[in-house]
Amino acid sequence: MSDAVGHAVPQTDLTEMTACPQCDWLHVIGDVPDGMRARCVRCQTVLLAPRRDAAVTIVALAAAALVLMIVAISFPFLNIAASGLSSSASVLDAAMSFALASGRMAPLSVIVAALIIVLPVARLAGLIYALGPLAVGNKARPYAAFVFRLSMRLRPWAMAEIFIIGVAVALVKVASLATVGFGPAFWAFVGLVILVAAKDMVLCERSMWRALEQAR
Ligand SMILES: [Zn+2]
């Protein structure tokens, strides 16, 4: 017995389809040459923007950001001088002083340390772990996909740049009461924010997923 409607409908494997993140239109994206962009046919959102050596650039920027992070944590962040007395503190000192001030402030120190130190470091280290082998043309490491997904998910929670804005606002208030100077760690933090922004601009998540899949 044959089917009354006998024509074969071309079936596309759902795993090969890409939904536009803005309008959900489904696309089958073929090979996109390096430097070209695939855009949504309906709303023109960029779907794929592979770049040659993107993994190398991302790993290099992440490694540089990690070095700046070490400087940002360990060197003095601010010097404050008033009435002949001066004091300088690092970010770690600030987080620790919350913990020592009183028991109720202890959770705050944990949150501050996690959001401005631990999470950004974990993200950068995760990117280097997952994309490092791709940058040198090796096979992907075990759990590379898991680590890459995790470092993408942590992105909204890594708040080094928001910390910088908070410090700038606080300094405007304090500047009338005391002489405030920036330590090396402050400039390291500023450099860190710029490097992380540059890395996020280069990083096309879908292209990296494709590269990770091919390197498996
Ligand atoms: Zn769209």
Side-chain angles (χ1 to χ4, degrees), residues 20 22-25 40 42-45:
C20 170
Q22 295 298 327
C23 72
D24 287 344
W25 191 266
C40 172
R42 186 152 67 174
C43 71
Q44 301 295 309
T45 300

Side-chain angles (χ1 to χ4, degrees), residues 171-216:
L171 282 187
V172 172
K173 301 254 181 192
V174 175
S176 57
L177 304 172
T179 313
V180 180
F182 297 119
F186 179 84
W187 299 112
F189 250 111
V190 172
L192 182 76
V193 169
I194 293 169
L195 282 183
V196 169
K199 174 195 63 105
D200 286 344
M201 272 177 66
V202 176
L203 204 162
C204 168
E205 200 177 330
R206 280 168 207 271
S207 313
M208 283 302 119
W209 276 118
R210 282 195 167 192
L212 272 173
E213 210 138 86
Q214 284 161 8
R216 223 179 240 174

Side-chain angles (χ1 to χ4, degrees), residues 72-80 87-94 97 183 185:
I73 294 169
S74 41
F75 282 84
F77 190 79
L78 288 176
N79 316 299
I80 292 182
S87 171
S88 67
S90 72
V91 175
L92 265 189
D93 292 338
S97 66

Side-chain angles (χ1 to χ4, degrees), residues 47-208:
L47 300 174
L48 201 66
R51 292 190 199 190
R52 198 145 47 104
D53 301 335
V56 179
T57 313
I58 293 164
V59 170
L61 287 171
L66 211 51
V67 172
L68 282 182
M69 194 61 166
I70 294 166
V71 176
I73 294 169
S74 41
F75 282 84
F77 190 79
L78 288 176
N79 316 299
I80 292 182
S83 318
L85 296 170
S86 74
S87 171
S88 67
S90 72
V91 175
L92 265 189
D93 292 338
M96 290 306 290
S97 66
F98 280 129
L100 297 174
S102 81
R104 277 190 305 170
M105 297 293 269
L108 186 61
S109 79
V110 174
I111 294 170
V112 167
L115 295 183
I116 64 176
I117 301 170
V118 179
L119 286 186
V121 167
R123 278 199 71 210
L124 295 170
L127 283 178
I128 293 170
Y129 175 86
L131 303 181
L134 272 59
V136 291
N138 286 348
K139 285 191 120 191
R141 289 202 177 100
Y143 304 111
F146 171 76
V147 173
F148 183 66
R149 182 177 295 115
L150 197 66
S151 54
M152 289 293 107
R153 290 266 168 86
L154 287 177
R155 187 172 168 178
W157 295 99
M159 299 190 184
E161 55 272 46
I162 293 170
F163 176 68
I164 287 291
I165 295 169
V167 168
V169 171
L171 282 187
V172 172
K173 301 254 181 192
V174 175
S176 57
L177 304 172
T179 313
V180 180
F182 297 119
F186 179 84
W187 299 112
F189 250 111
V190 172
L192 182 76
V193 169
I194 293 169
L195 282 183
V196 169
K199 174 195 63 105
D200 286 344
M201 272 177 66
V202 176
L203 204 162
C204 168
E205 200 177 330
R206 280 168 207 271
S207 313
M208 283 302 119

